[in-house]
Coordinates of all heavy atoms in Angstrom, one line a residue:
M12 N 5.8 13.8 11.1 CA 5.5 12.9 9.9 C 6.9 12.3 9.5 O 7.8 13.0 9.3 CB 4.9 13.7 8.8 CG 4.5 12.9 7.6 SD 3.0 12.1 8.1 CE 2.6 11.3 6.6
P13 N 7.0 11.0 9.5 CA 8.2 10.3 9.1 C 8.6 10.5 7.6 O 7.7 10.6 6.8 CB 8.0 8.9 9.4 CG 6.5 8.7 9.4 CD 5.9 10.0 9.8
T14 N 9.8 10.5 7.3 CA 10.3 10.7 5.9 C 10.2 9.3 5.3 O 10.1 8.3 5.9 CB 11.7 11.2 5.9 OG1 12.6 10.3 6.5 CG2 11.8 12.6 6.5
K15 N 10.4 9.3 4.0 CA 10.4 8.1 3.2 C 11.6 7.2 3.6 O 11.5 6.0 3.7 CB 10.4 8.3 1.7 CG 9.2 7.8 1.0 CD 9.3 8.1 -0.5 CE 7.9 7.7 -1.0 NZ 7.7 8.1 -2.3
E16 N 12.7 7.8 3.8 CA 13.9 7.1 4.2 C 13.7 6.4 5.6 O 14.1 5.3 5.7 CB 15.1 8.1 4.3 CG 15.6 8.6 3.0 CD 16.7 9.6 3.1 OE1 17.3 9.7 4.2 OE2 17.1 10.2 2.1
E17 N 13.1 7.1 6.5 CA 12.8 6.5 7.8 C 11.9 5.3 7.7 O 12.1 4.3 8.3 CB 12.2 7.5 8.8 CG 13.2 8.6 9.2 CD 12.5 9.7 10.0 OE1 11.3 10.0 9.8 OE2 13.2 10.4 10.7
M18 N 10.9 5.4 6.8 CA 9.9 4.4 6.6 C 10.6 3.2 5.9 O 10.3 2.0 6.3 CB 8.7 4.8 5.8 CG 7.8 5.8 6.5 SD 6.6 6.6 5.5 CE 5.4 5.2 5.4
M19 N 11.5 3.4 5.0 CA 12.2 2.4 4.3 C 13.2 1.7 5.2 O 13.3 0.4 5.2 CB 12.9 2.9 3.1 CG 12.0 3.3 1.9 SD 12.9 4.0 0.5 CE 13.8 2.6 0.0
K20 N 13.8 2.4 6.1 CA 14.8 1.8 7.1 C 14.0 0.9 8.0 O 14.4 -0.2 8.4 CB 15.5 2.9 7.8 CG 16.5 2.4 8.8 CD 17.2 3.5 9.6 CE 18.2 2.8 10.6 NZ 18.5 3.7 11.7
F21 N 12.9 1.4 8.5 CA 12.0 0.7 9.5 C 11.5 -0.6 8.8 O 11.6 -1.7 9.4 CB 10.8 1.5 9.9 CG 9.9 0.8 10.9 CD1 10.3 0.6 12.2 CD2 8.7 0.3 10.4 CE1 9.4 -0.1 13.1 CE2 7.8 -0.3 11.3 CZ 8.2 -0.5 12.6
A22 N 11.1 -0.5 7.6 CA 10.6 -1.7 6.8 C 11.7 -2.7 6.6 O 11.5 -3.9 6.7 CB 10.0 -1.3 5.5
G23 N 12.9 -2.2 6.3 CA 14.0 -3.1 6.1 C 14.4 -3.9 7.4 O 14.7 -5.1 7.4
E24 N 14.3 -3.2 8.5 CA 14.6 -3.8 9.8 C 13.5 -4.9 10.1 O 13.9 -6.0 10.6 CB 14.6 -2.8 11.0 CG 15.7 -1.8 10.9 CD 17.0 -2.3 11.3 OE1 17.1 -3.3 12.1 OE2 18.1 -1.8 10.9
I25 N 12.3 -4.6 9.9 CA 11.2 -5.5 10.1 C 11.3 -6.7 9.2 O 11.2 -7.9 9.6 CB 9.8 -4.9 10.0 CG1 9.7 -3.7 10.9 CG2 8.7 -5.9 10.1 CD1 9.9 -4.1 12.4
E26 N 11.6 -6.5 7.9 CA 11.8 -7.6 7.0 C 13.0 -8.5 7.4 O 12.9 -9.7 7.3 CB 12.1 -7.1 5.6 CG 10.9 -6.4 4.9 CD 9.9 -7.3 4.4 OE1 10.1 -8.6 4.4 OE2 8.8 -6.8 4.1
E27 N 14.0 -7.9 7.9 CA 15.2 -8.7 8.4 C 14.8 -9.6 9.6 O 15.2 -10.7 9.7 CB 16.3 -7.8 8.8 CG 17.6 -8.5 9.2 CD 18.7 -7.5 9.5 OE1 18.8 -6.4 9.0 OE2 19.6 -7.9 10.4
I28 N 14.0 -9.0 10.5 CA 13.6 -9.8 11.7 C 12.7 -11.0 11.2 O 12.9 -12.1 11.7 CB 12.8 -8.9 12.7 CG1 13.8 -7.9 13.3 CG2 12.2 -9.7 13.8 CD1 13.1 -6.8 14.2
V29 N 11.8 -10.7 10.3 CA 10.9 -11.8 9.8 C 11.7 -12.8 9.1 O 11.4 -14.0 9.3 CB 9.8 -11.2 8.9 CG1 9.0 -12.3 8.2 CG2 8.9 -10.3 9.7
A30 N 12.7 -12.4 8.3 CA 13.5 -13.4 7.6 C 14.4 -14.3 8.5 O 14.7 -15.4 8.2 CB 14.4 -12.7 6.6
T31 N 14.9 -13.7 9.6 CA 15.8 -14.4 10.4 C 15.2 -15.2 11.6 O 15.9 -15.9 12.3 CB 16.9 -13.5 11.0 OG1 16.3 -12.4 11.7 CG2 17.8 -12.9 9.8
T32 N 13.9 -14.9 11.8 CA 13.2 -15.6 12.9 C 11.9 -16.2 12.4 O 11.6 -16.1 11.2 CB 12.8 -14.6 14.1 OG1 11.9 -13.6 13.5 CG2 14.1 -13.9 14.6
D33 N 11.1 -16.8 13.3 CA 9.9 -17.3 12.9 C 8.7 -16.4 13.3 O 7.6 -16.8 13.3 CB 9.6 -18.7 13.5 CG 9.6 -18.7 15.0 OD1 10.1 -17.8 15.6 OD2 9.2 -19.8 15.6
Y34 N 9.0 -15.1 13.5 CA 8.0 -14.1 13.8 C 7.2 -13.8 12.6 O 7.7 -13.7 11.5 CB 8.6 -12.9 14.4 CG 9.3 -13.0 15.7 CD1 10.3 -12.1 16.1 CD2 8.9 -13.9 16.7 CE1 10.9 -12.2 17.3 CE2 9.5 -14.0 17.9 CZ 10.5 -13.2 18.2 OH 11.1 -13.2 19.5
N35 N 5.9 -13.4 12.8 CA 5.2 -12.8 11.7 C 5.4 -11.3 11.8 O 6.2 -10.8 12.7 CB 3.7 -13.1 11.8 CG 3.0 -12.6 13.1 OD1 3.3 -11.6 13.6 ND2 2.1 -13.4 13.6
Y36 N 4.8 -10.5 10.9 CA 5.1 -9.1 10.8 C 4.7 -8.3 12.1 O 5.5 -7.5 12.6 CB 4.5 -8.5 9.6 CG 5.2 -8.8 8.3 CD1 4.8 -9.9 7.5 CD2 6.4 -8.1 8.0 CE1 5.5 -10.2 6.4 CE2 7.1 -8.4 6.8 CZ 6.6 -9.5 6.0 OH 7.4 -9.8 4.9
L37 N 3.6 -8.6 12.6 CA 3.2 -7.9 13.9 C 4.1 -8.3 15.0 O 4.5 -7.4 15.8 CB 1.7 -8.3 14.2 CG 0.6 -7.8 13.3 CD1 -0.7 -8.4 13.7 CD2 0.6 -6.3 13.3
E38 N 4.5 -9.5 15.2 CA 5.4 -9.9 16.2 C 6.8 -9.2 16.0 O 7.4 -8.8 17.0 CB 5.6 -11.4 16.3 CG 4.3 -12.1 16.7 CD 4.4 -13.6 16.5 OE1 5.2 -14.1 15.7 OE2 3.7 -14.3 17.3
A39 N 7.2 -9.1 14.8 CA 8.5 -8.5 14.5 C 8.5 -7.0 14.8 O 9.4 -6.5 15.4 CB 8.8 -8.7 13.0
I40 N 7.4 -6.3 14.6 CA 7.3 -4.9 14.9 C 7.3 -4.7 16.5 O 8.0 -3.9 17.0 CB 6.0 -4.3 14.3 CG1 6.1 -4.2 12.8 CG2 5.7 -2.9 14.9 CD1 4.8 -3.9 12.1
V41 N 6.6 -5.6 17.2 CA 6.6 -5.5 18.6 C 8.0 -5.8 19.2 O 8.5 -5.1 20.1 CB 5.6 -6.5 19.2 CG1 5.7 -6.5 20.8 CG2 4.2 -6.0 18.9
E42 N 8.7 -6.8 18.6 CA 10.0 -7.2 19.0 C 11.0 -6.0 18.8 O 11.8 -5.7 19.6 CB 10.5 -8.4 18.3 CG 11.9 -8.9 18.7 CD 12.1 -9.3 20.1 OE1 11.1 -9.6 20.8 OE2 13.2 -9.2 20.6
Y43 N 10.9 -5.4 17.6 CA 11.7 -4.3 17.2 C 11.5 -3.1 18.2 O 12.5 -2.5 18.7 CB 11.4 -3.8 15.8 CG 12.2 -2.6 15.4 CD1 13.5 -2.8 14.9 CD2 11.7 -1.3 15.4 CE1 14.3 -1.7 14.5 CE2 12.5 -0.2 15.0 CZ 13.8 -0.4 14.6 OH 14.5 0.6 14.2
C44 N 10.3 -2.9 18.6 CA 10.0 -1.8 19.6 C 10.6 -2.1 20.9 O 11.1 -1.3 21.6 CB 8.5 -1.6 19.7 SG 7.7 -0.8 18.2
N45 N 10.5 -3.4 21.3 CA 11.0 -3.8 22.6 C 12.6 -3.6 22.6 O 13.1 -3.2 23.6 CB 10.7 -5.2 23.0 CG 9.2 -5.4 23.4 OD1 8.6 -4.4 23.8 ND2 8.7 -6.6 23.2
K46 N 13.2 -4.0 21.5 CA 14.7 -4.0 21.5 C 15.2 -2.5 21.4 O 16.2 -2.2 22.0 CB 15.2 -4.7 20.2 CG 15.3 -6.2 20.4 CD 16.1 -6.9 19.4 CE 16.1 -6.3 18.0 NZ 16.6 -7.2 17.0
T47 N 14.5 -1.7 20.7 CA 15.0 -0.3 20.5 C 14.4 0.7 21.4 O 14.9 1.8 21.5 CB 14.7 0.2 19.0 OG1 13.3 0.2 18.8 CG2 15.4 -0.7 18.0
G48 N 13.3 0.3 22.1 CA 12.6 1.3 23.0 C 11.7 2.2 22.3 O 11.2 3.2 22.8
L49 N 11.4 1.9 21.0 CA 10.5 2.7 20.2 C 9.1 2.5 20.7 O 8.7 1.4 20.9 CB 10.7 2.3 18.7 CG 9.9 3.1 17.7 CD1 10.4 4.6 17.6 CD2 10.0 2.5 16.4
E50 N 8.3 3.6 20.8 CA 6.9 3.5 21.2 C 6.1 2.8 20.1 O 6.4 3.1 18.9 CB 6.3 4.8 21.6 CG 6.9 5.5 22.8 CD 6.5 4.8 24.1 OE1 5.4 4.3 24.1 OE2 7.3 4.8 25.0
T51 N 5.2 2.0 20.4 CA 4.4 1.4 19.3 C 3.6 2.4 18.5 O 3.3 2.2 17.3 CB 3.4 0.3 19.9 OG1 2.7 0.8 21.0 CG2 4.2 -0.9 20.4
E52 N 3.2 3.5 19.2 CA 2.4 4.5 18.5 C 3.3 5.2 17.4 O 2.8 5.5 16.3 CB 1.9 5.6 19.4 CG 0.8 5.1 20.4 CD 1.4 4.3 21.6 OE1 2.6 4.3 21.8 OE2 0.5 3.7 22.3
V53 N 4.6 5.3 17.7 CA 5.5 5.9 16.7 C 5.8 4.9 15.6 O 5.8 5.3 14.4 CB 6.8 6.3 17.4 CG1 7.9 6.8 16.4 CG2 6.6 7.4 18.5
A54 N 5.9 3.6 16.0 CA 6.1 2.6 15.0 C 5.0 2.5 14.0 O 5.2 2.3 12.8 CB 6.3 1.2 15.7
A55 N 3.8 2.8 14.5 CA 2.6 2.7 13.6 C 2.7 3.8 12.5 O 2.2 3.6 11.4 CB 1.3 3.0 14.4
T56 N 3.3 4.9 12.8 CA 3.5 6.0 11.8 C 4.6 5.6 10.8 O 4.6 6.2 9.7 CB 3.8 7.3 12.4 OG1 5.1 7.3 13.0 CG2 2.7 7.7 13.4
L57 N 5.4 4.7 11.1 CA 6.5 4.3 10.2 C 6.2 3.2 9.3 O 7.0 2.8 8.4 CB 7.8 3.9 11.1 CG 8.4 5.0 11.9 CD1 9.5 4.4 12.8 CD2 9.0 6.0 11.0
I58 N 5.0 2.6 9.4 CA 4.6 1.5 8.6 C 4.3 2.0 7.2 O 3.4 2.8 7.0 CB 3.5 0.7 9.2 CG1 3.9 0.1 10.5 CG2 3.0 -0.4 8.2 CD1 2.8 -0.6 11.3
S59 N 5.1 1.5 6.2 CA 4.9 1.9 4.8 C 3.7 1.1 4.2 O 3.2 0.1 4.7 CB 6.1 1.5 4.0 OG 6.3 0.1 3.9
P60 N 3.1 1.6 3.1 CA 2.0 0.9 2.5 C 2.3 -0.5 2.1 O 1.5 -1.4 2.2 CB 1.7 1.8 1.2 CG 2.2 3.1 1.6 CD 3.4 2.9 2.5
N61 N 3.5 -0.7 1.6 CA 3.9 -2.1 1.3 C 4.0 -3.0 2.5 O 3.5 -4.1 2.4 CB 5.3 -2.1 0.6 CG 5.8 -3.4 0.1 OD1 4.9 -4.2 -0.3 ND2 7.1 -3.6 0.0
L62 N 4.5 -2.5 3.6 CA 4.5 -3.3 4.8 C 3.1 -3.5 5.4 O 2.8 -4.6 5.8 CB 5.4 -2.6 5.9 CG 5.7 -3.4 7.1 CD1 6.4 -4.7 6.8 CD2 6.6 -2.5 8.0
K63 N 2.3 -2.5 5.2 CA 0.9 -2.6 5.7 C 0.1 -3.7 4.9 O -0.6 -4.5 5.5 CB 0.2 -1.3 5.5 CG -1.2 -1.3 6.1 CD -1.9 0.1 5.9 CE -1.4 1.1 6.9 NZ -2.2 2.3 6.9
A64 N 0.4 -3.8 3.6 CA -0.2 -4.8 2.8 C 0.2 -6.2 3.2 O -0.6 -7.1 3.2 CB 0.1 -4.6 1.3
K65 N 1.5 -6.4 3.5 CA 2.0 -7.7 4.0 C 1.4 -8.0 5.3 O 1.0 -9.2 5.5 CB 3.5 -7.6 4.1 CG 4.2 -7.6 2.8 CD 5.7 -7.5 2.9 CE 6.4 -7.4 1.5 NZ 7.8 -7.4 1.7
I66 N 1.2 -7.1 6.2 CA 0.6 -7.3 7.5 C -0.9 -7.7 7.3 O -1.4 -8.7 7.9 CB 0.7 -6.1 8.4 CG1 2.1 -5.8 8.8 CG2 -0.2 -6.3 9.7 CD1 2.4 -4.5 9.5
H67 N -1.6 -7.0 6.4 CA -3.0 -7.3 6.1 C -3.1 -8.7 5.6 O -4.0 -9.5 6.0 CB -3.5 -6.3 5.2 CG -5.0 -6.4 5.0 ND1 -5.6 -7.1 4.0 CD2 -6.0 -5.8 5.7 CE1 -6.9 -7.0 4.1 NE2 -7.2 -6.2 5.1
E68 N -2.3 -9.1 4.6 CA -2.3 -10.4 4.0 C -2.1 -11.5 5.0 O -2.8 -12.5 5.1 CB -1.3 -10.5 2.9 CG -1.3 -11.9 2.2 CD -0.3 -11.9 1.1 OE1 0.2 -10.9 0.7 OE2 0.1 -13.1 0.7
Q69 N -1.1 -11.3 5.9 CA -0.8 -12.3 6.9 C -1.9 -12.4 7.9 O -2.2 -13.5 8.3 CB 0.5 -11.9 7.6 CG 1.4 -13.0 8.0 CD 2.7 -12.6 8.5 OE1 2.9 -11.6 9.2 NE2 3.8 -13.3 8.1
A70 N -2.5 -11.3 8.3 CA -3.6 -11.3 9.2 C -4.8 -12.1 8.6 O -5.5 -12.8 9.3 CB -4.0 -9.9 9.6
E71 N -5.1 -11.9 7.3 CA -6.2 -12.6 6.7 C -5.9 -14.1 6.7 O -6.7 -15.0 6.9 CB -6.4 -12.1 5.3 CG -7.2 -10.9 5.2 CD -7.5 -10.5 3.7 OE1 -6.8 -11.0 2.8 OE2 -8.3 -9.6 3.6
N72 N -4.6 -14.5 6.4 CA -4.2 -15.9 6.3 C -4.3 -16.6 7.7 O -4.5 -17.8 7.8 CB -2.8 -16.1 5.8 CG -2.7 -15.7 4.3 OD1 -3.7 -15.8 3.6 ND2 -1.5 -15.4 3.9
M73 N -4.1 -15.8 8.8 CA -4.2 -16.3 10.1 C -5.6 -16.2 10.7 O -5.8 -16.4 11.9 CB -3.2 -15.5 11.0 CG -1.8 -15.7 10.6 SD -0.6 -14.7 11.5 CE -0.8 -15.2 13.2
N74 N -6.6 -15.8 9.9 CA -8.0 -15.6 10.2 C -8.2 -14.6 11.3 O -9.1 -14.7 12.2 CB -8.6 -16.9 10.7 CG -8.7 -17.9 9.5 OD1 -9.0 -17.5 8.4 ND2 -8.5 -19.2 9.8
M75 N -7.3 -13.5 11.3 CA -7.4 -12.4 12.2 C -8.4 -11.4 11.6 O -8.9 -10.5 12.4 CB -6.1 -11.8 12.6 CG -5.2 -12.8 13.3 SD -3.5 -12.2 13.5 CE -3.7 -11.2 14.9
L76 N -8.5 -11.4 10.3 CA -9.4 -10.5 9.6 C -10.3 -11.3 8.7 O -10.0 -12.3 8.2 CB -8.6 -9.5 8.7 CG -7.6 -8.5 9.4 CD1 -6.8 -7.8 8.4 CD2 -8.4 -7.5 10.2
K77 N -11.5 -10.7 8.4 CA -12.4 -11.3 7.5 C -11.9 -11.1 6.1 O -11.4 -10.0 5.8 CB -13.8 -10.8 7.6 CG -14.4 -11.2 8.9 CD -15.8 -10.7 9.0 CE -16.5 -11.1 10.3 NZ -17.8 -10.6 10.4
T78 N -12.0 -12.1 5.2 CA -11.6 -11.8 3.8 C -12.7 -11.1 3.1 O -13.9 -11.3 3.4 CB -11.3 -13.2 3.1 OG1 -12.5 -14.0 3.2 CG2 -10.1 -13.9 3.7
K79 N -12.3 -10.3 2.1 CA -13.3 -9.5 1.5 C -14.2 -10.3 0.5 O -15.3 -9.9 0.3 CB -12.6 -8.4 0.7 CG -12.0 -7.3 1.5 CD -11.3 -6.3 0.7 CE -10.6 -5.3 1.6 NZ -10.0 -4.2 0.8
G80 N -13.7 -11.4 0.0 CA -14.5 -12.2 -0.9 C -15.5 -13.1 -0.4 O -16.1 -13.9 -1.1
S81 N -15.8 -13.1 0.9 CA -16.7 -14.1 1.5 C -18.1 -13.7 1.4 O -19.0 -14.5 1.7 CB -16.3 -14.3 3.0 OG -16.5 -13.1 3.7
R82 N -18.5 -12.5 1.1 CA -19.9 -12.0 1.0 C -20.3 -12.0 -0.5 O -19.6 -11.6 -1.3 CB -20.1 -10.7 1.6 CG -20.0 -10.7 3.1 CD -20.2 -9.4 3.7 NE -21.1 -8.5 3.0 CZ -21.5 -7.3 3.4 NH1 -21.1 -6.9 4.5 NH2 -22.3 -6.6 2.7
L83 N -21.5 -12.4 -0.7 CA -22.1 -12.3 -2.0 C -22.6 -10.9 -2.2 O -23.2 -10.3 -1.3 CB -23.3 -13.3 -2.2 CG -22.9 -14.7 -2.2 CD1 -24.1 -15.6 -2.2 CD2 -22.0 -15.1 -3.4
P84 N -22.5 -10.3 -3.4 CA -23.0 -9.0 -3.7 C -24.5 -9.0 -3.7 O -25.2 -10.0 -4.1 CB -22.5 -8.6 -5.0 CG -22.1 -9.9 -5.7 CD -21.8 -10.9 -4.6
I85 N -25.1 -8.0 -3.2 CA -26.6 -7.9 -3.1 C -27.1 -7.0 -4.2 O -26.6 -6.0 -4.5 CB -27.1 -7.4 -1.7 CG1 -26.6 -8.4 -0.7 CG2 -28.5 -7.2 -1.7 CD1 -26.9 -7.9 0.8

């Protein structure tokens, strides 16, 4: 189980990649894994809730996920 410090460091690295390139968050994570040799399964455990929310929002904006507000309540 990763520590909070490890998760914060990983999130900082991903934010830096997103800020300095035109990558989205998912692409930035894959690029980070390629550069450092980190397994994607390990990277998945390092994703903080804040980073997960940003990935989710970006995926919805790119129509990779369905938005929650599209269904009428029954």
Side-chain angles (χ1 to χ4, degrees):
M12 188 74 179
T14 64
K15 241 180 193 174
E16 288 178 10
E17 292 170 333
M18 292 172 78
M19 289 178 64
K20 182 181 177 203
F21 179 75
E24 294 285 336
I25 299 305
E26 291 286 348
E27 184 178 331
I28 293 171
V29 170
T31 58
T32 64
D33 61 344
Y34 291 154
N35 62 36
Y36 283 97
L37 290 174
E38 292 170 335
I40 291 170
V41 171
E42 179 64 24
Y43 179 82
C44 290
N45 288 337
K46 280 193 330 191
T47 62
L49 184 67
E50 294 287 330
T51 53
E52 291 82 10
V53 175
T56 64
L57 294 172
I58 297 175
S59 65
N61 187 27
L62 189 57
K63 186 182 280 190
K65 290 179 181 181
I66 294 169
H67 188 270
E68 180 183 342
Q69 213 171 45
E71 280 183 346
N72 292 339
M73 296 171 65
N74 293 326
M75 295 172 83
L76 295 174
K77 292 182 181 179
T78 57
K79 291 182 181 179
S81 63
R82 287 183 30 177
L83 293 174
I85 297 176

